[in-house]
Amino acid sequence: MTFQQVYGYEPAVRYSAPGRVNLIGEHTDYNDGYVLPFAIDRRTVASIAQREDRLIRVASAFEPDAVHELSLDELDPSRMQGWSAYVFGIAWALREQAGADLSDRTGFDVFIDSDVPVGAGLSSSAAIECGVALAFTDLWELGLDRKVLAKVGQYSENHAVGAPTGIMDQSASLLGEQDAVVFLDCRTLDTEVVDLALEANGLEVLVIDTRVEHAHATGGYKARRDSCERGAEVLGVPALRDVSVEDLQRAQELLDDETFRRVRHIVTEDQRVLDTVETLRADGPRAIGSLLVASHESMRDDFEISVPELDLAVDTAMANGAVGARMTGGGFGGSAIALVDREGRERIATAVTAAFADAGYREPTVFTVHAAQGARRDA
């Protein structure tokens, strides 16, 4: 299905935005901490044409028989349902969060297509949000920069979609650059592009999609966020970003065991992000493997967001020569990543697939990704 087949004419322009892989820094974003994601070479494309009325119509390749409609005069989360909320929510958030005046704007016909896997922890949702946000901002001539658009995407996902996520995914999708990671301070929103230099070092990132789908809007993610907020309140800090590794002994005395372990993950994960940036700059990507593994162990044991399939993927990759491996994304399913030598990629992929078969799990989808450019106008 294409834009032309749905609407009967050709689109005026196409925008695209990538999914993301988070190299390290999981669940730290909504704790005002640090993250280190990169945009990937899997993209969502929004084909768009402006209308003469105030209607936004949305269709997609993954729901080819449905066209969702909403007037700019009726924008409200209560009127948004299903995946189309990722599009309508952006228009609403541009008005509500960024203060855009939409009173004299016309609507759009929008068609979404994507090769970012859904439910794999690669942020297919942010890819939609960021491509649409850049398109609407350009076509409505709103003059908003990409850091503002990241906030718009997060606001939409939190309040229109109902998923309590941080700002990492949108920042990676909007600010990513080729063969580089985005070092993001989620409190100040200061960003720095750090060379990843995988190509020069003969390395690749292997994504192992367990095909165990997760849903951020459901309980597990929210429960972890609630634990973090409770921990910060007891410790008397604005956010867990303000707790250091040296503070953990005191935290253990004040918190119940579960809340302490949630706090310990965030505090040590923030430190691992800082250590990874320093290591990349000083020693290159081959030196970060132990940090990736420590991150996975923390998510498995302290934050308890891994699943057996993710653990098997990480363990098998490491046993077969990966430099480092960890689950990536919000958890409760999704994907693991493995940093691998280019010549060892197929061996590790084959070993992981065989291990899943032996365990009776669904066959994983295994593929490489490369750090890529962020959201852009394509045509």
Side-chain angles (χ1 to χ4, degrees):
M1 189 65 70
T2 65
F3 183 102
Q4 197 278 334
Q5 289 172 320
V6 172
Y7 298 116
Y9 66 101
E10 291 296 330
V13 66
R14 290 182 175 88
Y15 286 77
S16 71
R20 65 95 188 94
V21 158
N22 190 23
L23 185 65
I24 196 166
E26 223 64 76
H27 287 259
T28 50
D29 54 350
Y30 57 79
N31 288 287
D32 282 1
Y34 304 100
V35 292
L36 199 65
F38 61 90
I40 62 174
D41 51 347
R42 296 285 188 112
R43 305 183 75 86
T44 292
V45 178
S47 302
I48 297 180
Q50 285 188 278
R51 299 174 55 85
E52 295 183 356
D53 57 20
R54 289 178 57 77
L55 194 66
I56 296 178
R57 297 194 296 178
V58 182
S60 76
F62 40 88
E63 193 186 19
D65 298 326
V67 178
H68 303 265
E69 299 183 353
L70 194 62
S71 169
L72 290 175
D73 299 313
E74 300 172 330
L75 287 176
D76 186 87
S78 65
R79 304 180 67 90
M80 304 173 192
Q81 296 181 347
W83 72 267
S84 61
Y86 289 107
V87 178
F88 295 134
I90 289 297
W92 173 79
L94 284 168
R95 185 188 69 197
E96 297 298 315
Q97 199 277 337
D101 182 3
L102 305 184
S103 60
D104 60 349
R105 309 292 179 177
T106 57
F108 302 102
D109 284 340
V110 182
F111 183 82
I112 302 293
D113 200 358
S114 181
D115 65 358
V116 183
V118 175
L122 303 181
S123 202
S124 56
S125 57
I128 296 174
E129 292 160 356
C130 294
V132 169
L134 185 62
F136 286 4
T137 297
D138 282 358
L139 297 173
W140 278 333
E141 299 180 343
L142 299 179
L144 303 175
D145 67 29
R146 289 180 181 234
K147 290 186 178 181
V148 171
L149 294 185
K151 292 181 181 179
V152 166
Q154 181 197 13
Y155 190 85
S156 174
E157 187 144 357
N158 290 173
H159 300 287
V161 177
T165 56
I167 202 168
M168 173 183 67
D169 297 348
Q170 294 81 8
S171 296
S173 188
L174 284 158
L175 302 173
E177 294 186 14
Q178 196 159 347
D179 203 16
V181 285
V182 178
F183 177 35
L184 170 65
D185 181 331
C186 295
R187 170 169 287 169
T188 66
L189 300 188
D190 290 340
T191 58
E192 186 176 353
V193 175
V194 178
D195 286 341
L196 193 50
L198 296 186
E199 188 171 339
N201 285 272
L203 295 172
E204 294 184 339
V205 173
L206 195 67
V207 174
I208 304 161
D209 178 2
T210 66
R211 300 173 67 199
V212 178
E213 294 193 6
H214 59 191
H216 280 170
T218 54
Y221 192 103
K222 183 179 184 300
R224 298 309 183 277
R225 185 164 185 164
D226 289 346
S227 288
C228 293
E229 292 173 355
R230 183 165 57 251
E233 182 178 2
V234 171
L235 294 172
V237 294
L240 294 182
R241 149 73 170 273
D242 302 297
V243 181
S244 70
V245 173
E246 290 74 23
D247 295 326
L248 285 176
Q249 183 174 348
R250 172 177 171 268
Q252 189 169 18
E253 296 169 356
L254 295 174
L255 301 170
D256 65 84
D257 179 67
E258 179 181 283
T259 304
F260 170 69
R261 287 186 290 109
R262 305 298 189 246
V263 168
R264 181 167 60 186
H265 165 70
I266 298 301
V267 173
T268 58
E269 187 79 345
D270 267 334
Q271 187 59 52
R272 281 187 288 271
V273 174
L274 298 176
D275 291 345
T276 300
V277 171
E278 182 178 346
T279 302
L280 282 172
R281 288 170 172 157
D283 303 309
R286 286 189 175 275
I288 67 171
S290 62
L291 291 161
L292 301 182
V293 173
S295 174
H296 182 77
E297 292 171 347
S298 180
M299 289 185 287
R300 182 193 65 203
D301 300 335
D302 277 353
F303 223 57
E304 296 182 289
I305 56 173
S306 189
V307 296
E309 290 88 344
L310 287 168
D311 296 337
L312 181 61
V314 169
D315 292 344
T316 305
M318 292 303 298
N320 285 272
V323 173
R326 65 186 286 272
M327 60 150 285
T328 189
F332 310 103
S335 295
I337 58 170
L339 186 60
V340 303
D341 283 291
R342 191 175 297 128
E343 61 269 20
R345 174 188 59 200
E346 293 304 323
R347 181 185 71 253
I348 293 172
T350 299
V352 169
T353 301
F356 271 55
D358 290 344
Y361 298 151
R362 294 178 69 186
E363 182 177 351
T365 303
V366 186
F367 55 93
T368 56
V369 293
H370 302 89
Q373 180 186 350
R376 68 192 182 207
R377 177 172 173 151
D378 288 333

